[in-house]
Amino acid sequence: MTDTPWWTPTRHADRRPALLARNRVQAAIRGWLADQDFVEVDPPALVISPGNEAHLHAFATEAIGTDGGTRRMYLHTSPEFAMKKLLAAGETRIAAFAHVWRNRESGPRHSPEFTMLEWYRAGEDYTRLMEDTARMLQLACEAAGTRRLCHDGQNCDPFAPVERLSVAQAFADHAGIDLLATLAPGGGTDRDGLAAQTAAAGIAFGAEDSWSDIFSRVLVERIEPHLGRGRITVLDRYPAAEAALARACADDPREAERFEVYACGVELANGFGELTDPAEQRRRFEAEMDEKERVYGERYPLDEDFLAALALMPPASGIALGFDRLAMLATAAPRIEDVLWAPVS
């Protein structure tokens, strides 16, 4: 990593080809979305609830009213709540290139402020989003003038047939763990059962780690390095306990309609068959905030308007793609800041 500031002429000249490629990728995807009859929307970044997942961390601020009173507000971690309200209002195909903010995130693949491409299809199965994403990865390569996504010595051909496997199958194949045996319908989990299998697989974890903590350790250590090697991987059917915003699979309520898309071992997109039951969503959010308070000593408020809108929202599928990461892989840039026009200092 160079110590030369990004705004110096020589450093900018080195970065500029990747930045121009980023623009071409964005233009190509925008054109494809328009051809697919998506309406591009512009959700607000300032919100009363930044999201209610236990391990997502937001940036907080204070809104001052005309009477001098203050109110806690946040920069959103995703445009999801606003976009689902638009679905409730009657939109059917919407997309947004939204700047989002996530605290406690920085590194070669993370920036505290980044661009998320999020899109929704009302009345369509979540597997359609897998097809959308595969096409976008192809468009990114075409716009960048390459046939492969590259990162950290790995290559991925987005034009090759996509690999699709369930999380349970990935745990069995790469860690020898029977994940489904540790799950119960409705999001229940067997922490001790997963702990015993994980220890037998030689994976270290803490004595106080929860089922979710252990799941994440296995995923990061044994599963993710194998994903997106040579071709795109769709990691499908997440445990219901790891899919707070997704509906359960019709054939097995221990699993949910959630998937992630990987290339070169890098997670690029996270998609759902969307949950539209307000009572169940409230229950899940409250459980997530209880866990956040247990681990981090804080909780975020619920967006009551969002929960009310769910009652009007049609069945839909939705997905969020890390656009900067896609640009990084399409240009073979080693760090995410290499494809940000003006990186966060």
Side-chain angles (χ1 to χ4, degrees):
M1 179 179 292
T2 179
D3 292 327
T4 306
W6 62 264
W7 41 264
T8 60
T10 53
R11 179 82 186 281
H12 181 67
D14 290 339
R15 293 182 347 106
R16 194 167 187 270
L19 297 172
L20 294 177
R22 172 200 173 99
N23 283 11
R24 295 195 302 273
V25 171
Q26 188 171 33
I29 292 176
R30 270 202 165 108
W32 183 86
L33 287 166
D35 289 343
Q36 293 287 310
D37 295 325
F38 281 88
V39 174
E40 187 166 345
V41 299
D42 188 15
L46 191 64
V47 294
I48 62 170
S49 176
N52 297 106
E53 296 180 51
H55 303 294
L56 277 185
H57 304 281
F59 287 86
T61 187
E62 220 172 49
I64 304 174
T66 55
D67 61 355
T70 61
R71 183 185 188 191
R72 174 62 63 94
M73 300 285 283
Y74 301 88
L75 295 175
H76 65 178
T77 59
S78 161
E80 181 169 7
F81 291 176
M83 294 184 77
K84 286 183 176 178
K85 291 172 186 175
L86 286 169
L87 292 177
E91 295 294 338
T92 58
R93 288 189 183 184
I94 53 175
F97 282 93
H99 275 238
V100 299
W101 291 261
R102 295 188 178 183
N103 220 336
R104 303 194 186 203
E105 294 194 8
S106 62
R109 301 178 186 177
H110 295 86
S111 172
E113 179 180 357
F114 62 96
T115 299
M116 179 179 287
L117 169 58
E118 192 155 323
W119 69 100
Y120 291 84
R121 289 179 176 270
E124 298 188 66
D125 190 76
Y126 83 123
T127 56
R128 182 67 183 274
L129 302 176
M130 301 175 190
E131 300 170 10
D132 290 348
T133 307
R135 181 58 186 141
M136 287 182 186
L137 269 56
Q138 294 172 355
L139 287 168
C141 284
E142 292 168 356
T146 183
R147 295 288 296 180
R148 292 186 175 271
L149 301 166
C150 302
H151 183 70
D152 199 24
Q154 294 191 41
N155 294 286
C156 176
D157 179 2
F159 300 94
V162 173
E163 174 190 34
R164 180 180 173 187
L165 76 163
S166 69
V167 174
Q169 188 62 54
F171 269 61
D173 291 347
H174 301 302
I177 291 174
D178 183 354
L179 187 65
L180 292 180
T182 73
L183 301 176
T189 58
D190 175 6
R191 186 268 180 198
D192 291 342
L194 181 58
Q197 291 194 69
T198 301
I203 302 170
F205 57 89
E208 301 300 318
D209 281 356
S210 65
W211 182 95
S212 182
D213 295 329
I214 299 171
F215 171 87
S216 295
R217 287 178 183 272
V218 178
L219 184 67
V220 171
E221 184 173 326
R222 293 290 177 87
I223 312 302
E224 287 188 335
H226 297 281
L227 305 180
R229 285 180 171 266
R231 58 177 175 158
I232 298 167
T233 298
V234 171
L235 189 64
D236 192 15
R237 297 174 68 103
Y238 265 71
E242 293 294 310
L245 290 148
R247 58 179 173 249
C249 292
D251 62 337
D252 191 339
R254 295 175 297 177
E255 299 174 291
E257 291 185 356
R258 176 190 173 190
F259 70 91
E260 291 191 325
V261 178
Y262 285 82
C264 305
V266 178
E267 184 250 312
L268 290 177
N270 187 16
F272 301 90
E274 302 292 351
L275 179 67
T276 56
D277 180 337
E280 175 62 13
Q281 187 66 85
R282 181 184 297 277
R283 184 192 70 78
R284 295 187 191 183
F285 278 169
E286 288 175 346
E288 287 284 319
M289 291 300 92
D290 288 346
E291 177 66 5
K292 187 176 192 67
E293 189 166 43
R294 182 187 73 83
V295 177
Y296 304 107
E298 65 173 338
R299 61 194 303 133
Y300 299 143
L302 305 187
D303 183 339
E304 294 294 342
D305 283 346
F306 167 68
L307 291 170
L310 279 185
L312 301 177
M313 182 178 148
S317 57
I319 186 167
L321 181 147
F323 178 72
D324 310 292
R325 283 188 178 182
L326 177 56
M328 181 176 69
L329 269 60
T331 60
R335 298 173 301 273
I336 198 168
E337 68 175 32
D338 294 328
V339 295
L340 301 178
W341 276 93
V344 176
S345 298

